[in-house]
Amino acid sequence: RQVLVHGYVTAAGKVENLKVVRPIKPETDQALLAALARWDFRPATRAGVNIGVEFVISIPVAGL
């Protein structure tokens, strides 16, 4: 089993609009969203310009 989370990484590398697509338990889902919201990424680039991207991340339940 896995939790699926959908969101966006902005051109500034910040995570936003997180949503659990395949939940497991409300308290676990909220803890995951809170942790992921604190992540920073190196933004994707296109032609040398930072761009925002959409993502789906799969997190195995076994480690939760």
Side-chain angles (χ1 to χ4, degrees):
R1 250 180 90 186
Q2 299 184 349
V3 179
L4 290 179
V5 179
H6 175 267
Y8 296 88
V9 174
T10 68
K14 301 296 180 188
V15 178
E16 60 182 33
N17 298 327
L18 292 172
K19 178 181 174 186
V20 176
V21 179
R22 186 184 303 155
I24 53 170
K25 292 190 299 188
E27 59 273 10
T28 303
D29 298 340
Q30 289 305 312
L32 283 171
L33 292 179
L36 289 172
R38 292 189 302 266
W39 287 14
D40 288 321
F41 290 86
R42 181 178 29 189
T45 59
R46 180 180 296 143
V49 178
N50 291 358
I51 60 169
V53 294
E54 181 177 17
F55 70 87
V56 174
I57 187 170
S58 176
I59 303 166
V61 173
L64 303 176

